[in-house]
Amino acid sequence: MREKLLFISAENPFPQDSGGKLRTGNILNILLAKYDVDLLTYRNSRPSADKQEEPGLTVYEAPRTMNYRKAMLRSLYKWRNCSYMSHVDVDMRGKITELCRQNGYSHVFISHSLLGICIDIVREALPGSLIVTDAHNFESGLSAQLAAKKKGLAGLFYSLNAVWTKRDELKLMDKTDLLLAASEQDGLAFQSLSGKNSDKVHVIPNFIRIEDYQTKTNIQREKWIVLPGNMNYFPNINAAAYFNRDIYPLIKAKVPEIKWYIVGRDVHPEVAALAEKDSSIVITGYVDSVADYVRKAQAVVVPLREGSGTRLKILEAWALRTPVISSSKGAEGLLYEHSRNILIADDPLTFADSVVQLLLDCERGKVLAERAYDTLLANYEAASVRAKLLSLV
């Protein structure tokens, strides 16, 4: 009889329509090879019932009462990160305690460092369980990046948020048994934060299952570029605005027939406004398959100037054999070589020229994409991380 593992995630990973959900779902899929898993998560507004019937997986859903506005207010008197994930104890405390006492899990997996508050709840019910936390990002670093963009009262609030987040990451490092980081850079950041706990940190890079991206249909490429991502996430919002202001006009001047697709859920008003001023910009909002757009594009653009971890949007483009132009920040943490498996550009003119090159020279794009595909298979496909993950958990 297999052991049971409790897997706690604020984001229901099904359907896998964002980078965070991809990481969560792909790790969960590997753990199902070893454990029967009880997944405790929030109810998803877009359920994927077929995936939840996976053998060995039982899903428990908590109703969400802690929205972002409530979390921001609660953070002021709890001195805790303002993300709703940092306050899941409001909705999940009772169910965590109930499941732990009923099942006596030997292992508990917490999917996101912002759910660190759950460790205390688990320890109360199961003092001897091994707790693994998957960090996703180095959140205090992200919070500091956001604070630097704000002014006035907003700047003060987010600066405090960065301080609270760092404090909670220090507590997390003390309390968790293992901490998984999504990149070498994030791993080093956590180790620097708490040297006495540095041996707890292990890097499990973002990865994908290549079979999820394979198709027998030969799809014609269009004169498209695609910027994929959750469009309510501040690094993506800022990237879209920067690309529109400083880069896209230079591309249009040389390739006037171009279409720019911004593909992602939860579109921020600042992003939505871009399409109102330019008919060549298409904002899709939520789509069932981002891959359908990336397959048709001649290039994926990743003009990020903030963020942490590694970009699953790049890995997905590599899996779909679509060439990528990225900033250094966007490709941070990945094994890449400029002009071999990706084009790196950190100023508007170089970025625009790189995009134009791929739009006008399809053969170069194919060579770049094939090399990127080989890099993906060797380093970021599920088979390349499965053994390490299962040896830890």
Side-chain angles (χ1 to χ4, degrees):
M1 185 174 179
R2 301 201 307 173
E3 289 184 273
K4 293 189 73 172
L5 175 145
L6 176 62
F7 193 108
I8 303 171
S9 175
E11 278 196 310
N12 190 317
F14 311 121
Q16 294 190 275
D17 54 13
S18 71
K21 289 184 176 186
L22 273 169
R23 180 173 177 86
T24 300
N26 288 343
I27 286 177
L28 177 59
N29 186 272
I30 287 178
L31 294 177
L32 282 166
K34 184 175 180 180
Y35 298 95
D36 287 333
V37 176
D38 288 344
L39 168 63
L40 175 61
T41 185
Y42 278 125
R43 184 172 296 115
N44 202 323
S45 59
R46 301 184 184 94
S48 181
D50 57 334
K51 185 62 181 179
Q52 293 178 8
E53 294 174 1
E54 184 80 16
L57 176 64
T58 304
V59 180
Y60 297 90
E61 294 180 325
R64 187 197 300 275
T65 66
M66 184 49 63
N67 59 29
Y68 186 64
R69 184 179 296 275
K70 287 181 180 178
M72 289 187 74
L73 292 172
R74 192 170 187 254
S75 70
L76 290 171
Y77 63 87
K78 286 289 186 179
W79 291 8
R80 199 184 295 168
N81 179 284
C82 62
S83 167
Y84 80 91
M85 291 190 191
S86 303
H87 302 263
V88 296
D89 53 311
V90 173
D91 297 326
M92 292 190 179
R93 177 179 293 274
K95 196 64 180 178
I96 291 172
T97 301
E98 176 190 333
L99 287 170
C100 286
R101 289 177 177 167
Q102 285 179 351
N103 296 281
Y105 306 105
S106 59
H107 293 69
V108 176
F109 191 99
I110 296 176
S111 184
H112 215 297
S113 58
L114 292 178
L115 274 66
I117 190 66
C118 295
I119 295 177
D120 290 337
I121 305 171
V122 172
R123 291 286 187 218
E124 288 174 12
L126 290 176
S129 62
L130 186 140
I131 298 178
V132 182
T133 304
D134 183 29
H136 280 246
N137 295 298
F138 184 59
E139 288 292 338
S140 60
L142 268 179
S143 296
Q145 291 175 39
L146 178 57
K149 299 287 183 181
K150 301 291 184 178
K151 297 179 180 178
L153 287 176
L156 175 61
F157 174 80
Y158 285 107
S159 293
L160 288 171
N161 190 62
V163 172
W164 299 334
T165 305
K166 184 174 182 178
R167 178 208 62 190
D168 286 345
E169 283 177 339
L170 278 165
K171 291 181 180 179
L172 172 67
M173 291 286 286
D174 279 334
K175 294 177 180 180
T176 193
D177 294 302
L178 294 173
L179 185 134
L180 308 183
S183 71
E184 293 291 344
Q185 285 89 340
D186 282 6
L188 290 171
F190 277 109
Q191 289 175 329
S192 298
L193 187 66
S194 180
K196 67 178 181 178
N197 292 307
S198 61
D199 60 329
K200 294 181 179 180
V201 179
H202 300 269
V203 176
I204 297 293
N206 282 329
F207 63 96
I208 63 172
R209 300 189 307 162
I210 198 65
E211 63 265 27
D212 293 339
Y213 298 87
Q214 293 173 335
T215 178
K216 295 180 180 178
T217 306
N218 189 19
I219 296 173
Q220 182 70 33
R221 300 274 180 179
E222 306 285 348
K223 219 59 157 198
W224 294 357
I225 55 175
V226 170
L227 173 61
N230 178 351
M231 286 301 150
N232 200 31
Y233 178 51
F234 84 89
N236 290 339
I237 297 168
N238 294 341
Y242 161 62
F243 188 83
N244 179 72
R245 182 184 63 248
D246 296 339
I247 300 172
Y248 192 51
L250 302 176
I251 299 170
K252 282 187 70 180
K254 295 184 178 179
V255 189
E257 69 273 26
I258 189 174
K259 288 280 187 181
W260 172 24
Y261 280 78
I262 301 175
V263 185
R265 61 190 177 96
D266 302 332
V267 179
H268 190 276
E270 186 178 340
V271 177
L274 301 181
E276 296 171 5
K277 302 173 183 177
D278 189 335
S279 61
S280 73
I281 302 174
V282 180
I283 297 175
T284 66
Y286 177 81
V287 296
D288 289 333
S289 174
V290 175
D292 288 345
Y293 290 84
V294 174
R295 280 192 187 95
K296 291 183 180 180
Q298 285 188 235
V300 163
V301 294
V302 187
L304 287 171
R305 298 196 287 182
E306 301 118 344
S308 90
T310 55
R311 253 52 66 182
L312 274 152
K313 65 188 75 179
I314 292 181
L315 299 184
E316 288 192 293
W318 286 2
L320 296 164
R321 291 182 166 90
T322 301
V324 177
I325 306 101
S326 175
S327 61
S328 297
K329 188 65 178 177
E332 186 177 71
L334 294 175
L335 295 171
Y336 70 84
E337 185 179 336
H338 171 61
S339 289
R340 187 180 183 280
N341 55 12
I342 197 169
L343 295 181
I344 300 295
D346 288 316
D347 66 87
L349 182 58
T350 304
F351 206 115
D353 285 346
S354 299
V355 173
V356 170
Q357 286 176 30
L358 295 186
L359 290 174
L360 300 181
D361 187 353
C362 294
E363 286 307 311
R364 187 182 184 201
K366 287 179 182 178
V367 172
L368 203 70
E370 285 299 324
R371 290 171 178 165
Y373 185 79
D374 291 341
T375 303
L376 171 79
L377 292 182
N379 302 281
Y380 303 107
E381 206 278 323
S384 67
V385 302
R386 181 178 287 108
K388 181 176 182 180
L389 178 62
L390 291 180
S391 72
L392 293 169
V393 185

